[in-house]
Amino acid sequence: MNQNLLYQHSTLADLTAGLFSGTMLVSELLKHGDTGIGTGDGLDGELIILNGTLYQVTSTGAVNVLQPDNQVPFATVNFANYQPETAIQEQTRDETLAQIAGRHPWQNLFYSFQLTGKFSYMKTRSVKKQSKPYPTLEQAANDQAMFEKHDVTGTMLGYYAPQLYNGVAVGGFHYHFLADDHDFGGHVLDFTVADAKLSMQAFTDLQEHFPATNPEFLNFDFAKHNDVASQIKNAEQ
Amino acid sequence: MNQNLLYQHSTLADLTAGLFSGTMLVSELLKHGDTGIGTGDGLDGELIILNGTLYQVTSTGAVNVLQPDNQVPFATVNFANYQPETAIQEQTRDETLAQIAGRHPWQNLFYSFQLTGKFSYMKTRSVKKQSKPYPTLEQAANDQAMFEKHDVTGTMLGYYAPQLYNGVAVGGFHYHFLADDHDFGGHVLDFTVADAKLSMQAFTDLQEHFPATNPEFLNFDFAKHNDVASQIKNAEQ
């Protein structure tokens, strides 16, 4: 168990290309971390892993727990070793992200943050399970479900990737949310903090794991799919 | 020891930015592989690791063995598990690289190759040790020493990185050479195979290790240094 290492299965580029089929068992993924985010098989919802349990927020808004024999096409996980940072009150998304970005000279590292507590506003989305032949991520994201909630208590889990890795991951911030009562969550589009605690964890290593036995991945021609950055911008932010 | 994992210390982007100071001990690097390539402290020469020994080809053409307490700014290493592929006779560089690229559907994976045997022509370069304040890699590469040799026997060790990772590594092929008698080598610019054996090894995982305690790396503003791809092209190819 290496708390300095961030483990990622597959890449954002694979998702933007429409490689949505699950290529890693949940049982295998959880060997590499107890905390994380991802998406479901066939782009079936937004995933958040907290304390070793993998929650799936589907496009109906339902929150399920994925089982060991489920497969995922993309996920980022780590073993939690978050260090307490500060309390945050009454702040917008932009103020909060700027504060997180400014706390450490970590702009060239991968790091993670958690915000736990009360949010006066939370806007999330969840992508819908797609059928083959799969569309691109950008097309699928146009079909997403959006949810809003006021005065919700829960955990926001996020990752920061240096811009050099945009395409491998989402360059900048990427964060999901789960309400404490497990009836609300997803990929976060906007939020306002009421009263929450910030904790952070930096990584010295990124382990990128490829779906190396998946024929669709092995044979995909990424040279014909070279607009990954704008697709990520349109699909994830 | 994971033969499916390629380990890289630092990134090509760091080198293009002029971050040339050694940030990893050779003793630590060799815990992660017995085979590899890299560059020396202060951009002092081209490195090639074979059977757990780290050889440095300096800009005078001398071949040294680096010691455990030496530091390196950048290196890519793996534990050798090369599988025999084919014999190659009388082929140019372009023919040989095309043959390597065509043997497996590995264009979206990291992989390594070795060519061992006789080369009728070999042209190499070695970068020169730089002094602070360091120039960019492109500027330093303009100051490189070049070497040519006919009828040389030795090992060419190369890596392939998917284009998505250009900047993290060198997108495409990157390969160094060492003569069997250890009196010639470097970063390969051109070659003609006389009679050599090809072997290859693919990786399911890339572990990227950052110089996470180095203040120059932590504080470098890569947003002001956004032409990494053309710098790599000019410096490495």
Side-chain angles (χ1 to χ4, degrees):
Chain A
M1 187 177 88
N2 181 353
Q3 293 174 323
N4 297 316
L5 186 143
L6 180 65
Y7 182 92
Q8 183 173 286
H9 172 61
S10 195
T11 65
L12 245 294
D14 294 352
L15 286 187
T16 63
L19 298 169
F20 298 158
S21 293
T23 44
M24 180 176 266
L25 286 167
V26 168
S27 56
E28 176 64 25
L29 179 68
L30 295 178
K31 290 178 186 170
H32 300 281
D34 52 25
T35 305
I37 63 177
T39 187
D41 183 22
L43 213 68
D44 190 6
E46 309 287 341
L47 309 182
I48 183 167
I49 303 164
L50 298 173
N51 298 317
T53 299
L54 202 169
Y55 301 93
Q56 173 196 39
V57 183
T58 74
S59 61
T60 67
V63 179
N64 305 318
V65 173
L66 287 190
Q67 299 304 309
D69 63 345
N70 288 133
Q71 301 244 18
V72 299
F74 176 82
T76 302
V77 297
N78 63 288
F79 287 105
N81 183 28
Y82 292 83
Q83 301 302 309
E85 291 279 339
T86 187
I88 293 178
Q89 274 113 19
E90 308 294 337
Q91 280 193 173
T92 66
R93 177 189 67 173
D94 290 352
E95 289 165 348
T96 303
L97 295 180
Q99 185 174 11
I100 292 170
R103 287 194 68 81
H104 297 278
W106 291 352
Q107 68 267 21
N108 298 324
L109 297 176
F110 283 80
Y111 62 85
S112 180
F113 68 91
Q114 287 196 32
L115 272 171
T116 54
K118 296 178 184 174
F119 297 82
S120 53
Y121 177 64
M122 183 68 64
K123 181 180 181 182
T124 66
R125 74 102 187 267
S126 180
V127 285
K128 290 184 188 172
K129 183 169 172 63
Q130 303 291 314
S131 301
K132 291 189 177 184
Y134 290 134
T136 64
L137 183 64
E138 191 175 6
Q139 290 163 342
N142 286 335
D143 191 31
Q144 67 195 2
M146 280 194 274
F147 309 100
E148 288 182 296
K149 197 149 186 167
H150 291 271
D151 303 321
V152 56
T153 301
T155 298
M156 184 183 298
L157 172 65
Y159 293 90
Y160 170 86
Q163 280 301 326
L164 179 61
Y165 291 83
N166 192 42
V168 176
V170 176
F173 289 110
H174 183 189
Y175 40 105
H176 289 188
F177 180 78
L178 184 67
D180 280 352
D181 61 7
H182 297 177
D183 75 345
F184 174 80
H187 175 102
V188 179
L189 298 175
D190 195 11
F191 66 91
T192 307
V193 177
D195 186 6
K197 289 178 181 168
L198 172 67
S199 59
M200 296 173 68
Q201 177 176 356
F203 306 104
T204 60
D205 292 72
L206 170 72
Q207 182 172 348
E208 170 60 35
H209 177 74
F210 297 92
T213 59
N214 179 260
E216 291 168 346
F217 167 72
L218 287 174
N219 294 309
F220 193 83
D221 186 356
F222 284 94
K224 292 182 181 163
H225 177 78
N226 53 15
D227 198 18
V228 172
S230 84
Q231 286 229 11
I232 290 176
K233 189 166 171 20
N234 291 335
E236 296 292 330
Q237 284 154 6
Chain B
M1 187 176 88
N2 182 354
Q3 293 174 322
N4 298 316
L5 186 144
L6 180 66
Y7 182 93
Q8 183 173 288
H9 171 61
S10 194
T11 65
L12 244 295
D14 293 352
L15 286 187
T16 63
L19 298 169
F20 298 159
S21 294
T23 44
M24 180 176 265
L25 286 167
V26 168
S27 56
E28 176 64 24
L29 179 69
L30 294 178
K31 290 178 186 169
H32 301 281
D34 52 25
T35 306
I37 62 177
T39 188
D41 184 23
L43 213 68
D44 190 6
E46 308 288 342
L47 308 182
I48 182 168
I49 303 165
L50 297 173
N51 299 316
T53 300
L54 202 169
Y55 301 93
Q56 172 196 40
V57 182
T58 74
S59 61
T60 67
V63 179
N64 306 317
V65 173
L66 287 191
Q67 301 303 311
D69 61 345
N70 288 132
Q71 301 245 19
V72 299
F74 176 82
T76 301
V77 297
N78 62 288
F79 286 106
N81 183 28
Y82 292 84
Q83 301 302 309
E85 291 279 338
T86 187
I88 294 178
Q89 275 112 19
E90 310 292 339
Q91 279 192 176
T92 65
R93 176 189 67 173
D94 290 352
E95 290 165 348
T96 303
L97 295 180
Q99 188 174 8
I100 292 170
R103 287 193 69 79
H104 298 279
W106 291 351
Q107 68 267 21
N108 299 324
L109 296 176
F110 283 81
Y111 62 86
S112 180
F113 68 92
Q114 288 197 34
L115 273 171
T116 55
K118 297 176 183 174
F119 296 82
S120 53
Y121 177 65
M122 184 68 63
K123 180 179 180 183
T124 65
R125 72 101 188 268
S126 182
V127 284
K128 290 185 188 172
K129 185 171 171 61
Q130 303 290 314
S131 301
K132 291 188 177 183
Y134 289 135
T136 64
L137 182 64
E138 191 175 8
Q139 291 162 341
N142 286 336
D143 191 32
Q144 67 195 4
M146 280 194 274
F147 310 100
E148 288 182 296
K149 197 150 188 167
H150 292 272
D151 303 321
V152 57
T153 300
T155 297
M156 184 182 298
L157 172 65
Y159 293 90
Y160 169 86
Q163 282 301 327
L164 179 61
Y165 290 83
N166 193 41
V168 176
V170 177
F173 290 110
H174 183 190
Y175 41 104
H176 289 187
F177 180 77
L178 184 68
D180 280 352
D181 61 7
H182 297 179
D183 74 346
F184 174 81
H187 175 102
V188 179
L189 297 175
D190 196 10
F191 66 90
T192 307
V193 177
D195 186 5
K197 289 178 181 166
L198 173 67
S199 59
M200 295 173 69
Q201 178 176 356
F203 306 104
T204 60
D205 291 73
L206 170 72
Q207 183 173 347
E208 169 61 34
H209 178 75
F210 298 91
T213 58
N214 180 261
E216 291 167 346
F217 166 72
L218 287 174
N219 294 308
F220 192 84
D221 185 356
F222 284 94
K224 291 183 181 163
H225 178 78
N226 52 14
D227 198 18
V228 172
S230 83
Q231 287 229 11
I232 290 176
K233 188 167 169 30
N234 292 335
E236 297 291 327
Q237 285 153 5

